[in-house]
Amino acid sequence: MPYGSHGDLIDHLHRKLGEAEQRKRDGARRMAALTQMKDQLSALSVTVSSPDRSVTVVAGAGGGVRSVRVSQDALDGSAIQLSSTITSTIHEAVAAAARQQAVIVQEALGEQSTVLESVLQTQAEAFGTTVADLKAKLADERPVVPPRPIDQGADFTEEDFLDERPEERPAQPAPRREAGDEDYIDPFADA
């Protein structure tokens, strides 16, 4: 036996147990960071407008274009000009979303990751700019994470917000909408 006494063996086992517990805590922190990253990526939304504000594009993670809005003033120009403005605004929105996505991933993975630097380098080459210019642009861009919707009809009177496992409760029915509500649309109004 390589250990001098039972005390040495017990000390060695305590150290190993402590190391295992530390790895478990580290793993839990990494899982929490990855879960947060997933939530942030699914909620990521970047809005970019053309310089003349005639076109606005909303893009999300993965380069998905969520919406394109064209102002009435944009229709006064030529179709070629409008097409060009829409295309360039989409490119900017997708690139901005990719940079924000890289920031979120970089924060989750930590300093050992080079994902942000890789994205900035690739975009600098693709857009004919510098990494420094993109970093400056990135400092002005902030990921927009929409707040979670608030259930206006929810009853929190008996909720214990400190309890890790809340009790299961039956779902509350949605509040009824009446014709007088400002956001109510009567589906039979024009019928």
Side-chain angles (χ1 to χ4, degrees):
M1 183 177 198
Y3 302 102
S5 70
H6 292 296
D8 290 343
L9 178 59
I10 291 172
D11 288 343
H12 176 74
L13 291 174
H14 278 298
R15 278 194 306 278
K16 289 294 185 184
L17 181 60
E19 291 170 7
E21 288 175 354
Q22 183 61 44
R23 283 193 296 275
K24 182 179 174 184
R25 285 190 297 271
D26 291 345
R29 276 193 292 273
R30 281 193 295 275
M31 282 303 294
L34 292 175
T35 300
Q36 181 181 6
M37 177 185 75
K38 180 183 159 231
D39 292 345
Q40 288 175 329
L41 289 175
S42 66
L44 178 68
S45 179
V46 175
T47 303
V48 174
S49 294
S50 61
D52 64 356
R53 301 272 190 233
S54 63
V55 175
T56 301
V57 175
V58 179
V65 175
R66 294 185 177 167
S67 71
V68 176
R69 291 186 300 268
V70 178
S71 73
Q72 189 64 38
D73 293 340
L75 301 177
D76 294 339
S78 71
I80 293 172
Q81 181 183 15
L82 178 58
S83 236
S84 175
T85 303
I86 290 171
T87 301
S88 64
T89 307
I90 287 173
H91 287 163
E92 270 300 313
V94 169
R99 287 189 296 272
Q100 292 305 317
Q101 183 173 340
V103 166
I104 291 168
V105 171
Q106 183 77 39
E107 288 174 354
L109 298 180
E111 294 178 14
Q112 74 270 13
S113 174
T114 60
V115 69
L116 179 58
E117 201 60 38
S118 296
V119 167
L120 294 176
Q121 184 64 42
T122 301
Q123 285 189 359
E125 292 169 10
F127 294 130
T129 188
T130 65
V131 172
D133 288 343
L134 290 174
K135 282 184 179 180
K137 193 180 251 191
L138 187 61
D140 294 335
E141 299 169 343
R142 298 286 181 254
V144 177
V145 179
R148 292 182 181 209
I150 298 172
D151 183 358
Q152 298 295 334
D155 178 14
F156 295 107
T157 55
E158 295 180 21
E159 187 70 34
D160 182 1
F161 292 100
L162 300 177
D163 187 8
E164 291 182 18
R165 287 178 263 144
E167 294 178 27
E168 292 295 320
R169 292 193 185 151
Q172 296 284 332
R176 291 186 47 87
R177 303 271 183 198
E178 300 298 328
D181 290 349
E182 62 186 61
D183 63 342
Y184 176 78
I185 298 173
D186 185 356
F188 304 105
D190 294 331

